[in-house]
């Protein structure tokens, strides 16, 4: 009966035994996972665009090779995540359709423009830094395929974060113009990075249930605080100024206090009105439509092969 299935499921969650694709699971657990994993996959794929913008303009061959490798890793992450979501009973075509029709969400951060080379540093340092903070705990998320996908993703994200930090370090130790470029990129990416963790806990409709199901291991505010604490120290190493005049170590809490986040800006971007939302979705839609001939050719090839070999 559903009742005993539910008990069995609850007991696995309590004992930290992972839930696998063929196991019984509550409908809402499945729905929440499809939502989160597919949004995560879309974020990786859309996230290739802001950095893709700088591949042809990277300042050296080494920088170009590194950036190219990073953007390719993001494509790989998207693919593992789509595969993990597929184990829950949604197809990749359905997920793409949700993205291209504007129905699916993806991370707000990728709707901001990349205006200078220093943005490649700031994205690696801050955006990948925030992604690691959020994703390392997801290696222990209760759904097996998602948790396992996260292990490799996190290893790669950690390389991405270091490459970004190293760009910031080179620029901040460079000429005055380079230092200014790094500071300016930091100023623009700081607040949107804090928004990546999602709305404050009090306004996060999904957190409580997701924490109970051990899909999320920390709340949005907990992860945001960790990120602020770690990044503020890293900014000192870079010799850059925090873009928040209210940032201050709080001895009692053992954390940095920080200024107010503009949640209107966040919701506005999530609703589709950020600086680059339209451009990002158009780029994905065009890629999908212009790639139709590749899908057709692959299917025709598979059909011929099957006719020839019976495989
Ligand atoms: N942007 O109730 P909650 C990367 C939505 S890293 C847009 O708190 P939840 C790597 C949320 O979906 C970025 N929407 O939701 C990379 C919900 O709406 P819904 C991707 C957001 O799910 C680096 C509503 O607000 N990482 O790609 C955002 O419990 C560099 C209420 O929010 C992941 O996706 C946002 N920032 O917590 C690639 C990690 N925040 O769905 C390239 C996995 C919230 O009910 C270059 N995801 N919303 O219609 C998660 O951990 C969670 O889904 C959260 C949100 C924490 C993002």
């Amino acid at each position: 009966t559903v009742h005993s299935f539910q008990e069995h499921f609850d007991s696995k969650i309590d004992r930290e035994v992972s839930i696998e694709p063929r196991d019984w699971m509550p409908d809402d657990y499945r729905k929440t996972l499809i939502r989160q994993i597919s949004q995560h996959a879309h974020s990786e794929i859309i996230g290739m665009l802001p950095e893709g913008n700088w591949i042809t303009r990277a300042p050296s061959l080494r920088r170009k090779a590194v950036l190219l490798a990073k953007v390719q890793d993001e494509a790989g992450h998207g693919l593992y995540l789509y595969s993990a979501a597929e184990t829950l009973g949604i197809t990749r075509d359905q997920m793409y359709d949700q993205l291209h029709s504007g129905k699916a969400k993806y991370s707000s951060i990728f709707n901001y423009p990349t205006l200078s080379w220093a943005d490649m540093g700031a994205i690696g340092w801050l955006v990948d830094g925030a992604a690691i903070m959020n994703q390392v705990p997801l290696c222990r998320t209760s759904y097996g395929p998602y948790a396992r996908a996260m292990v490799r993703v996190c290893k790669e994200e950690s390389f991405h974060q270091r490459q970004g930090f190293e760009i910031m370090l080179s620029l901040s130790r460079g000429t005055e113009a380079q230092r200014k470029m790094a500071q300016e990129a930091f100023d623009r990416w700081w607040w949107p990075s804090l928004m990546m963790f999602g709305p404050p806990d009090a306004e996060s409709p999904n957190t409580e249930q997701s924490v109970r199901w051990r899909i999320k291991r920390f709340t949005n505010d907990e992860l945001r605080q960790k990120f602020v604490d770690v990044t503020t120290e890293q900014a000192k190493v870079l010799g850059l100024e925090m873009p928040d005049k209210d940032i201050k170590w709080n001895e009692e809490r053992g954390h940095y206090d920080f200024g107010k986040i503009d949640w209107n800006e966040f919701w506005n971007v999530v609703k589709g009105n950020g600086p680059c939302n339209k451009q990002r979705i158009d780029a994905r839609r065009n890629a999908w439509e212009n790639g139709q001939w590749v899908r057709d050719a692959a299917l025709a090839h598979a059909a011929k092969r099957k006719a020839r070999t019976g495989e």
Side-chain angles (χ1 to χ4, degrees):
T1 65
V2 170
H3 186 64
S4 62
F5 282 137
Q6 177 79 48
E7 273 176 6
H8 189 55
F9 172 85
D10 291 344
S11 128
K12 275 195 187 156
I13 297 283
D14 286 345
R15 287 179 291 126
E16 306 260 337
V17 174
S18 65
I19 308 298
E20 295 299 332
R22 291 199 186 88
D23 295 346
W24 183 91
M25 60 187 88
D27 279 348
D28 285 341
Y29 176 83
R30 186 185 297 275
K31 265 194 223 142
T32 294
L33 279 168
I34 290 179
R35 178 181 64 76
Q36 178 167 328
I37 302 173
S38 66
Q39 287 177 0
H40 193 166
H42 297 324
S43 303
E44 297 282 356
I45 300 300
I46 295 272
M48 297 169 75
L49 298 169
E51 290 169 294
N53 183 35
W54 278 90
I55 290 172
T56 57
R57 292 176 288 166
S60 70
L61 181 61
R62 182 176 89 92
R63 292 291 186 201
K64 186 169 175 152
V66 171
L67 185 61
L68 200 56
K70 176 187 195 288
V71 174
Q72 282 177 339
D73 286 349
E74 282 149 13
H77 299 175
L79 299 184
Y80 317 146
L81 286 161
Y82 283 127
S83 299
E86 281 181 309
T87 64
L88 291 156
I90 186 168
T91 67
R92 203 168 293 205
D93 279 353
Q94 284 171 312
M95 290 185 270
Y96 286 156
D97 189 54
Q98 290 171 355
L99 178 65
H100 300 150
S101 65
K103 219 182 112 203
K105 290 195 170 71
Y106 58 86
S107 184
S108 49
I109 193 78
F110 302 118
N111 294 305
Y112 292 85
T114 43
L115 304 178
S116 77
W117 169 252
D119 287 9
M120 299 304 98
I123 289 181
W125 175 37
L126 301 171
V127 177
D128 288 278
I132 295 171
M133 203 54 90
N134 166 281
Q135 289 168 28
V136 166
L138 291 176
C139 297
R140 295 185 296 119
T141 194
S142 57
Y143 188 57
Y146 190 25
R148 289 188 290 271
M150 279 300 114
V151 174
R152 175 157 172 186
V153 168
C154 285
K155 286 186 183 154
E156 293 176 351
E157 297 291 19
S158 135
F159 151 68
H160 295 170
Q161 196 270 352
R162 277 146 196 261
Q163 70 85 37
F165 188 82
E166 199 249 344
I167 292 175
M168 293 303 269
L169 197 59
S170 304
L171 292 174
S172 62
R173 291 178 176 173
T175 64
E176 184 50 25
Q178 286 172 320
R179 204 200 59 78
K180 266 173 102 174
M181 201 203 291
Q183 181 67 52
E184 197 258 340
F186 186 19
D187 293 345
R188 277 184 295 108
W189 290 92
W190 174 249
W191 294 104
S193 302
L194 296 189
M195 295 174 194
M196 283 176 73
F197 294 94
D201 293 350
E203 284 144 50
S204 160
N206 301 299
T207 293
E208 198 187 326
Q209 182 57 263
S210 289
V211 168
R212 219 177 298 137
W213 276 326
R214 301 192 189 184
I215 292 174
K216 284 167 86 162
R217 312 294 312 221
F218 293 98
T219 71
N220 301 356
D221 287 332
E222 285 168 348
L223 292 170
R224 189 166 15 246
Q225 180 70 61
K226 282 190 190 205
F227 177 74
V228 170
D229 291 347
V230 166
T231 315
T232 304
E233 293 302 322
Q234 293 172 346
K236 289 184 194 164
V237 177
L238 293 174
L240 296 178
E241 206 174 300
M242 289 301 288
D244 176 356
K245 60 179 172 24
D246 294 326
I247 202 119
K248 198 169 169 253
W249 180 253
N250 181 324
E251 195 65 54
E252 220 168 281
R253 292 201 308 125
H255 290 292
Y256 278 99
D257 289 337
F258 54 98
K260 259 178 79 113
I261 295 172
D262 181 354
W263 292 110
N264 283 335
E265 173 181 328
F266 170 76
W267 289 116
N268 200 39
V269 173
V270 172
K271 280 188 206 129
N273 306 317
C276 300
N277 294 60
K278 190 178 171 322
Q279 191 184 327
R280 301 292 184 237
I281 289 291
D282 283 350
R284 289 312 314 157
R285 267 197 216 119
N286 288 340
W288 179 251
E289 282 159 19
N290 295 334
Q292 183 63 48
W293 70 272
V294 178
R295 296 190 294 279
D296 290 345
L299 286 172
H301 177 71
K304 273 191 197 163
R305 192 190 156 101
K306 192 171 176 198
R308 195 170 63 234
T309 64
E311 272 169 25

